[in-house]
Amino acid sequence: MTEAPIIRVRGLVTRFGTQTVHDGLDLDVRRGEIIGIVGGSGTGKSVLLHTIVGLLMPEAGTIEVFGESVRDTDAATTRALRRRWGVMFQDGALFSSLTVRQNVEAPMREQLDLPADLRETLAAIKVRMVGLPEAAMTQYPAELSGGMRKRAGFARAIALDPEIVFLDEPTAGLDPVGAAAFDALIGQLQAAFGLTVFLVTHDLDSLNAICDRIAVLADHKVLAVGTMEEMLRIEHPWVQAYFHGPRARAADRGTRTASPDMAH
């Protein structure tokens, strides 16, 4: 019997005033996969992420995570669900007035009743897991490079040992070497901990390097879901332009790939 999806979205309708972003969107995410969410500007990639994690309220539709409704549930169930996923927003979205350690500890303070020394120890472990030096623990976001801020944001996203990690444009703004290293980090942690990764991205190299499947948002819906090979056979104009354009050819030539032993 096929395992039930870890995330199940049906008939999602999202609007902002008169602007319709999603209209009858359906999506299944499988446990343990890295799924890349792509689409043109304004197709609602980040909106979909924010809606699944409960930060935005859709006009209609159902969203289930771990078999539980995200929309129609009580506060205790919502709190329990949020302990089982982590979110990394664009550019890390760190609290500017907190150090890296304090940022990583923030979900622990909110969700867990732990003594301060244990929180600090766990935060140090997460910081090392994402490849940051120990010295970064006491630094503030403004003192970090863009790549380091993203890694700190990733450390905060995995602070509670989640089963799902939502990543919003994690390689945006990074140089090719830094982006490849971040792809490799995602693949390493997914493989080590069996994470399900919901990856909003525009980065063709990330799709090639680490994604098991790709979901294309177009025409207010999920137009198609499949592997990279399946994407290349779709006739839709945007899909053709995206997956067969100059940037796609550059990605295919391997101008930026994660090293083989680090890729998922």
Side-chain angles (χ1 to χ4, degrees):
M1 186 174 67
T2 305
E3 184 179 10
I6 196 168
I7 300 171
R8 183 177 185 272
V9 181
R10 289 293 180 274
L12 187 69
V13 178
T14 310
R15 293 192 178 98
F16 297 104
T18 59
Q19 179 191 6
T20 298
V21 181
H22 306 132
D23 190 7
L25 182 149
D26 297 338
L27 178 65
D28 287 344
V29 178
R30 301 168 182 167
R31 184 180 293 274
E33 75 172 338
I34 300 178
I35 186 167
I37 311 298
V38 301
S41 178
T43 54
K45 302 180 294 295
S46 295
V47 170
L48 177 59
L49 185 159
H50 292 175
T51 305
I52 292 173
V53 302
L55 295 178
L56 291 173
M57 183 61 67
E59 190 165 299
T62 61
I63 302 170
E64 294 177 358
V65 184
F66 307 114
E68 297 275 1
S69 171
V70 174
R71 291 189 62 194
D72 306 307
T73 189
D74 57 76
T77 302
T78 298
R79 185 178 179 86
L81 281 173
R82 289 180 176 174
R83 284 183 58 172
R84 299 175 68 184
W85 70 56
V87 185
M88 177 187 158
F89 299 104
Q90 292 185 25
D91 198 38
L94 300 170
F95 299 114
S96 60
S97 61
L98 302 181
T99 64
V100 168
R101 175 181 63 78
Q102 291 167 334
N103 266 282
V104 177
E105 285 185 15
M108 303 179 201
R109 288 178 178 273
E110 181 183 355
Q111 297 277 6
L112 306 175
D113 183 18
L114 297 175
D117 58 343
L118 180 54
R119 281 200 313 269
E120 185 169 347
T121 298
L122 291 173
I125 292 171
K126 304 303 180 185
V127 167
R128 284 197 295 271
M129 283 171 60
V130 300
L132 285 174
E134 187 175 347
M137 290 274 287
T138 57
Q139 291 182 296
Y140 290 89
E143 299 174 300
L144 305 176
S145 68
M148 291 177 73
R149 281 196 302 273
K150 288 176 183 287
R151 287 177 182 261
F154 199 2
R156 187 175 64 186
I158 61 172
L160 300 178
D161 297 322
E163 296 166 63
I164 305 173
V165 177
F166 295 89
L167 306 176
D168 195 356
E169 297 282 9
T171 60
L174 297 181
D175 64 75
V177 173
F182 205 94
D183 284 342
L185 174 64
I186 295 169
Q188 283 180 314
L189 294 181
Q190 188 281 332
F193 301 105
L195 295 171
T196 301
V197 180
F198 186 101
L199 173 65
V200 171
T201 187
H202 69 279
D203 195 330
L204 276 159
D205 290 302
S206 296
L207 299 176
N208 272 315
I210 59 171
C211 288
D212 299 298
R213 293 193 303 151
I214 300 162
V216 177
L217 271 57
D219 306 326
H220 309 299
K221 294 178 171 64
V222 173
L223 176 74
V225 184
T227 63
M228 178 64 78
E229 291 73 21
E230 290 168 327
M231 292 297 111
L232 296 175
R233 297 195 292 268
I234 293 172
E235 296 297 328
H236 188 278
W238 186 89
V239 178
Q240 285 283 312
Y242 184 77
F243 288 100
H244 293 275
R247 292 171 70 88
R249 289 191 289 273
D252 190 53
R253 289 196 301 270
T255 55
R256 197 209 88 201
T257 56
S259 59
D261 62 327
M262 297 176 77
H264 170 63

